[in-house]
Amino acid sequence: MALIDTVREAERLMTICNACRYCEGHCAVFPAMEMRLAFTEGDLSYLANLCHNCGACYAHCQYAPPHEFAVNVPVTLAELRAQSYQDYTWPPQMAGVFERNGLAVSLVTAASLSLFLLATALLVDPAVLFAVHADGDFYRIIPHDVMAGLFTAVSAYVVVAFAMGFRRFWQQTGESYASFGRPRPFLQAMRDSLTLRYLDGGAGDGCTYPTEAPSQSRRVYHHLTFYGFMLCFAATSAGTIYHYVFGWQAPYGYLSVPVVLGTTGGIGLLIGPAGLLWLKHKADPDAFGHGRRGMDTGFLALLFLTSLSGLLLLVLRETSAMGVLLAVHLGIVLGLFLTLPYGKFVHAIYRFAALVRYALERSRAAERPEA
Amino acid sequence: MTVFEQSFDVLVVGGGNAGLCAAITAREAGARVLLLESAPYFYRGGNSRHTRNLRYMHDAADGIMTGPYREDEFWDDLLRVTKGKTDEPLARMMIRTSADLGSWMMARGVRFQPSLGGTLHLGRTNAFFLGGGKALVNAYYRKAEALGVAVVYEAEVTDLAIEDGRFVSAEVVHAGERHSVRASALVVAAGGFEANIPWLREHWGEAADNFIIRGTPYNQGHVLRLLLERGAMQVGDPRQCHAVAIDGRAPKFDGGICTRVDCVALGLVLNRHGLRFYDEGEDFWPKRYAIWGRLVAQQPGQVGYVLIDSKAVGKFMPTVFPALQAASIRELAGKLELDPDTVEATVTAYNSATRPGTFDWTVLDDCRTEGLDPPKSHWALPIDTPPYYGYLLRPGITFTYLGVGVDARARVLMADGTPSDNIAAAGEIMAGNVLGEGYIAGIGMTIGSVFGRLAGKEAATHGAH
Ligand SMILES: Cc1cc2nc3c(=O)[nH]c(=O)nc-3n(C[C@H](O)[C@H](O)[C@H](O)COP(=O)(O)OP(=O)(O)OC[C@H]3O[C@@H](n4cnc5c(N)ncnc54)[C@H](O)[C@@H]3O)c2cc1C
Ligand code: SF4
Ligand code: SF4
């Protein structure tokens, strides 16, 4: 059933909304809708990826169920969005992973965790594995080249998968790659995503999530998650520069750049995902959908565990627990990386691309003389 | 102890914009307030949840609106549409008192869209609620509850004990049980009677059966009738109502804003006999849409049929239901169940009466007919480019004007002109005092907000005695 029905439902809703337009101040979805009289499947998928599931247009809809029009935009767009992730997946054979995403993510993570534990148990001398390394040197457990080689290969795969997904999304919009690179719309989209502009409800009070009272909590937790992630990424990059440019070997001191970045980011990645999970738990499923695919939960839990195991590793790196913790942490990180193209993370790619397209459409509309 | 046994200073009947403004004001003044709303939670907020904007006077652009809109201009606008059927001192008081509405509302959680340029021609005079009227209603309920106003849904006021113009108690039906509620003062804000078809029939005859009610099914007007029966002064004409021509396929109740059909000025409107009956191009649609409800209501069967050709596509607001489409006028007439011969003759007569001009739907252009009765004064392009489109129109009632008289403190006037000691009224139930006829966009919410605050204040002072 799903796809055809969801597309039809989204089309029905957009037709009602386009005649009503009361929500046009809440987010980019409605102004983008207003530029159209009819909605193709591609348009709908674009609109779905512009939606943040903030709930404002449900809480404020005079036609929400039990009204006979039964308008629930966030739930339908969320469904369509999940469907679009599946459609854009590369390689397409992997699309099924989105069907039961929470389960798939857990299985992959469990497998990569077991792999690391098993490999260390088999390959590392127990005397070394359970020894106290006064300087907390990871490379005694897993050699640098093995670690770097493995994660470089996985990262390269992830980047290709993202690029292919983006390509599918962008082709469907019918826009050229040159327009994707136009500086002003691109910068506008950057600003909108880095500030989470459309989680402000339209007046700066925040979104109607998890209840109908506007609140900044979702935005704050999302910022903690996103910037936490970016700081951890920066920490890894700084470590790479230390290693290859300066020839400085890890482990680095508590006040070194990589460790400070990683610790700060890690704290963000603990609070952010935990907060988002807590909000999700409080949110009314009628308003926001049941998230039956477990996609959000799987991804958030994985981010949280990555950070938790990383921070524990840091704190306990000079104890006999270090060896096992290292294997656990790397196992979780590998699980995270492997599932990045096949889980909730992809929303970042498609939402950003959708925002670029929105900025393009806006700038074109502004260039056109009043129709 | 149930809420009905507790003691309150102020009882507010009706939880739309007017009732909420009254309840919040009274509570802020220290009164213990009970608000009774007959609808269930989802339908709370009556017709106010269908609104989009309000009008208030302001001396300068304020970020919400693009330019000044002063007392005299507001008054002139009101005078023009009501053709003098208004109470000047009361209306001017309302206009002046509206000046601080924007900031008052924002302080209580209502949010506005940034000022809108162009399209609706209302950016200077009207403030648009971010998220529409339901967002406003939700914000007011949150505020009221945070302040400690007691709110009961599905609580319908079915009787009022009034002695010598003084409110004594109200009978309330809630969860199948009758309760008697006492309070020192009463605010009635229960809206009009537009959803009460038998009552409409008293004034419109059988035609009322074909009316579509654009808003809440809960505005039955029982409280209005009770007040009039218990000696309150009647104002307004029971036949006067705000009615627009909407899509005939709209739900019988509560279809709200999205059922509008905005292409009348771009096409022709026929009645059931396939004949035109009014100048479709008289003025801009936003200024004229409020007369078309009546026009259609006066046609046989209370229906109209609007015809456009493909040149009009994209020049009007999208409609919620798709148009009927055909390759020829005859075919379209058939689909609309009209006589193809007459329709064809009407269109041909119109087409040959059109005179060349420069078509511009954003101004009152010079495309008009000559020697046609009724004429089409603007935007009169021939209907000649297939595909052709058609919509069925029916009258959609927005609200009624019959109400109770009030004074400048929102106190209900008794039939002899003396103000009631402890009953105040606000919103649609007293709108006829300032709006005896006609309509200007956004004034329904102005009336409810201004008189709601006055009523709340009045009732609170009374409760403190
Ligand atoms: C589709 C539509 C769009 C509109 N757009 C605008 C606009 O943009 N701007 C504008 O200014 N005006 C607009 N109006 C008009 C506007 O809705 C009214 O003028 C305004 O809402 C009246 O407010 P009120 O509080 O008096 O009544 P309502 O908001 O209708 O509230 C009355 C309440 O009383 C309750 N009630 C009724 N009887 C009883 C009882 N016996 N016991 C307890 N409770 C009872 C009802 O359930 C209801 O909730 C629009 C109307 C419609 C239908
Ligand atoms: S969600 Fe509801 S209120 Fe918002 S634009 Fe759509 S129909 Fe209108
Ligand atoms: S849920 Fe929020 S982001 Fe999504 S369409 Fe509605 S208002 Fe826009």
Side-chain angles (χ1 to χ4, degrees):
Chain A
M1 73 140 227
L3 181 60
I4 291 281
D5 287 356
T6 315
V7 169
R8 279 215 196 102
E9 174 65 1
E11 200 181 348
R12 182 184 79 89
L13 297 186
M14 288 298 107
T15 307
I16 298 175
C17 292
N18 213 8
C20 164
R21 303 191 170 187
Y22 279 11
C23 291
E24 67 186 0
H26 281 314
C27 70
V29 172
F30 297 93
M33 166 198 83
E34 289 175 16
M35 293 182 216
R36 297 166 161 78
L37 284 176
F39 304 91
T40 65
E41 215 177 304
D43 288 336
L44 292 169
S45 146
Y46 155 61
L47 294 177
N49 277 291
L50 273 181
C51 167
H52 283 272
N53 203 14
C54 78
C57 65
Y58 174 76
H60 300 157
C61 186
Q62 66 275 30
Y63 303 124
H67 191 283
E68 62 180 286
F69 286 164
V71 172
N72 187 331
V73 175
V75 163
T76 305
L77 292 190
E79 192 59 41
L80 206 61
R81 201 158 53 240
Q83 191 63 53
S84 78
Y85 298 164
Q86 206 158 331
D87 296 344
Y88 304 138
T89 313
W90 183 89
Q93 293 75 8
M94 292 296 288
V97 171
F98 283 102
E99 292 281 1
R100 302 183 71 185
N101 197 252
L103 182 67
V105 167
S106 320
L107 288 178
V108 172
T109 312
S112 71
L113 194 60
S114 319
L115 178 84
F116 262 93
L117 285 173
L118 216 64
T120 35
L122 290 178
L123 301 175
V124 183
D125 178 355
V128 179
L129 186 57
F130 296 108
V132 174
H133 302 274
D135 51 1
D137 186 355
F138 313 130
Y139 301 141
R140 297 245 193 91
I141 314 285
I142 302 171
H144 172 267
D145 292 347
V146 173
M147 230 191 267
L150 178 66
F151 281 99
T152 309
V154 174
S155 305
Y157 175 79
V158 167
V159 169
V160 172
F162 283 160
M164 298 301 284
F166 164 77
R167 212 182 93 169
R168 277 157 200 259
F169 177 91
W170 200 251
Q171 274 172 351
Q172 198 179 28
T173 66
E175 300 277 355
S176 71
Y177 289 105
S179 36
F180 183 76
R182 271 178 57 190
R184 275 158 73 70
F186 191 87
L187 285 176
Q188 180 65 49
M190 280 293 248
R191 248 197 315 273
D192 294 346
S193 33
L194 293 180
T195 57
L196 291 178
R197 170 167 172 195
Y198 296 111
L199 280 188
D200 82 350
D205 300 326
C207 53
T208 52
Y209 184 93
T211 70
E212 93 189 5
S215 141
Q216 298 289 0
S217 49
R218 175 127 175 258
R219 203 181 195 190
V220 168
Y221 289 130
H222 192 292
H223 272 327
L224 285 168
T225 308
F226 175 77
Y227 288 102
F229 189 88
M230 293 314 275
L231 284 173
C232 290
F233 188 72
T236 314
S237 312
T240 311
I241 294 172
Y242 270 27
H243 187 90
Y244 290 105
V245 179
F246 301 113
W248 298 337
Q249 290 281 328
Y252 307 113
Y254 286 111
L255 293 179
S256 66
V257 174
V259 174
V260 169
L261 288 173
T263 313
T264 335
I267 293 170
L269 265 188
L270 276 186
I271 306 172
L276 289 173
L277 278 171
W278 176 65
L279 292 181
K280 197 174 173 56
H281 172 71
K282 290 212 308 184
D284 175 7
D286 288 341
F288 300 98
H290 293 266
R292 58 187 167 79
R293 301 164 189 226
M295 183 162 66
D296 300 359
T297 313
F299 180 59
L300 288 169
L302 202 47
L303 284 176
F304 181 85
L305 290 175
T306 303
S307 172
L308 183 69
S309 59
L311 289 173
L312 278 177
L313 179 61
L314 180 70
V315 174
L316 300 176
R317 71 183 180 183
E318 284 161 36
T319 73
S320 58
M322 189 272 268
V324 175
L325 271 175
L326 179 67
V328 169
H329 179 59
L330 292 179
I332 295 174
V333 175
L334 183 65
L336 176 69
F337 270 54
L338 286 173
T339 56
L340 279 185
Y342 309 113
K344 179 71 191 195
F345 185 89
V346 297
H347 82 281
I349 311 278
Y350 304 131
R351 176 106 69 230
F352 180 72
L355 281 169
V356 174
R357 181 171 192 217
Y358 177 64
L360 278 167
E361 289 189 334
R362 291 291 291 221
S363 67
R364 277 190 216 116
E367 282 157 20
R368 248 198 320 270
E370 180 66 32
Chain B
M1 188 161 76
T2 74
V3 68
F4 300 110
E5 289 152 13
Q6 292 167 28
S7 57
F8 291 96
D9 302 316
V10 176
L11 170 64
V12 179
V13 182
N17 172 57
L20 287 161
C21 287
I24 290 171
T25 307
R27 181 75 196 118
E28 284 176 347
R32 291 165 301 168
V33 181
L34 172 64
L35 186 149
L36 299 177
E37 166 57 62
S38 60
Y41 182 89
F42 174 78
Y43 286 98
R44 69 180 187 175
N47 281 352
S48 302
R49 47 183 254 292
H50 283 292
T51 63
R52 170 145 216 213
N53 57 62
L54 94 168
R55 179 180 288 259
Y56 60 84
M57 89 165 236
H58 50 282
D59 284 327
D62 57 357
I64 304 173
M65 286 180 272
T66 53
Y69 186 54
R70 302 202 174 86
E71 179 183 339
D72 285 338
E73 190 185 351
F74 196 152
W75 165 248
D76 288 344
D77 286 343
L78 184 63
L79 190 63
R80 185 162 9 90
V81 298
T82 56
K83 304 201 180 90
K85 286 192 195 148
T86 176
D87 171 341
E88 178 161 359
L90 198 66
R92 281 198 181 265
M93 179 284 295
M94 177 191 85
I95 293 171
R96 281 193 298 273
T97 320
S98 77
D100 71 334
L101 271 180
S103 52
W104 189 89
M105 293 166 77
M106 278 196 275
R108 282 150 193 85
V110 176
R111 293 291 174 265
F112 296 99
Q113 279 187 206
S115 41
L116 294 174
T119 42
L120 278 157
H121 307 283
L122 291 172
R124 183 173 64 84
T125 55
N126 287 45
F128 285 69
F129 316 134
L130 179 70
K134 186 155 175 221
L136 168 139
V137 163
N138 287 355
Y140 278 157
Y141 272 105
R142 279 199 302 276
K143 182 68 188 174
E145 275 163 16
L147 288 167
V149 172
V151 177
V152 187
Y153 301 107
E154 301 181 55
E156 188 188 358
V157 170
T158 48
D159 206 355
L160 293 172
I162 295 173
E163 286 168 13
D164 302 327
R166 265 191 75 81
F167 164 70
V168 181
S169 68
E171 181 188 75
V172 184
V173 176
H174 176 66
E177 302 222 3
R178 263 168 222 289
H179 305 269
S180 173
V181 178
R182 291 177 168 269
S184 315
L186 172 71
V187 174
V188 286
F193 65 96
E194 61 277 349
N196 190 330
I197 293 177
W199 192 344
L200 292 174
R201 210 184 287 130
E202 286 173 28
H203 306 289
W204 284 88
E206 305 263 289
D209 291 339
N210 290 324
F211 291 176
I212 291 172
I213 317 306
R214 300 176 69 207
T216 177
Y218 294 91
N219 282 1
Q220 292 288 331
H222 294 323
V223 175
L224 171 61
R225 185 152 266 183
L226 284 170
L227 283 174
L228 295 176
E229 282 171 7
R230 305 282 186 278
M233 175 196 281
Q234 172 175 326
V235 300
D237 175 349
R239 255 181 87 91
Q240 281 297 338
C241 60
H242 179 270
V244 304
I246 57 169
D247 197 306
R249 295 163 289 182
K252 184 75 180 169
F253 291 97
D254 217 48
I257 195 72
C258 76
T259 59
R260 65 188 158 193
V261 177
D262 281 355
C263 58
V264 165
L266 298 166
L268 293 183
V269 182
L270 313 185
N271 64 14
R272 188 184 259 180
H273 304 308
L275 303 170
R276 291 176 61 243
F277 52 90
Y278 197 82
D279 181 353
E280 300 89 349
E282 187 179 53
D283 204 341
F284 291 113
W285 180 241
K287 291 196 183 164
R288 277 290 158 269
Y289 83 132
I291 67 169
W292 277 87
R294 258 160 196 290
L295 289 171
V296 172
Q298 284 153 3
Q299 294 304 312
Q302 293 72 52
V303 284
Y305 302 84
V306 55
L307 266 55
I308 53 171
D309 70 3
S310 59
K311 296 196 295 295
V313 172
K315 296 188 176 66
F316 60 97
M317 282 286 285
T319 54
V320 68
F321 302 112
L324 291 171
Q325 184 182 335
S328 70
I329 291 289
R330 294 189 71 84
E331 188 193 340
L332 186 62
K335 286 192 172 169
L336 292 168
E337 294 174 16
L338 296 174
D339 174 40
D341 294 331
T342 331
V343 173
E344 197 173 42
T346 305
V347 174
T348 312
Y350 162 79
N351 282 351
S352 47
T354 55
R355 292 290 164 263
T358 317
F359 176 81
D360 184 350
W361 59 287
T362 61
V363 297
L364 294 168
D365 73 2
D366 60 354
C367 289
R368 55 191 171 73
T369 57
E370 251 172 49
L372 191 70
D373 184 38
K376 186 173 176 188
S377 314
H378 303 283
W379 312 297
L381 290 183
I383 307 280
D384 58 3
T385 316
Y388 301 97
Y389 301 93
Y391 292 97
L392 171 68
L393 301 176
R394 281 188 195 282
I397 296 224
T398 318
F399 68 77
T400 48
Y401 292 170
L402 176 74
V404 293
V406 294
D407 69 3
R409 283 158 59 183
R411 292 181 299 183
V412 168
L413 298 176
M414 304 314 285
D416 63 3
T418 54
S420 160
D421 204 20
N422 64 350
I423 310 175
E428 200 178 319
I429 202 167
M430 49 62 63
N433 287 271
V434 281
L435 196 66
E437 187 184 319
Y439 189 68
I440 35 175
I443 201 170
M445 294 297 274
T446 317
I447 296 172
S449 310
V450 168
F451 285 95
R453 295 192 303 180
L454 289 172
K457 192 170 147 209
E458 181 65 28
T461 38
H462 213 280
H465 285 172

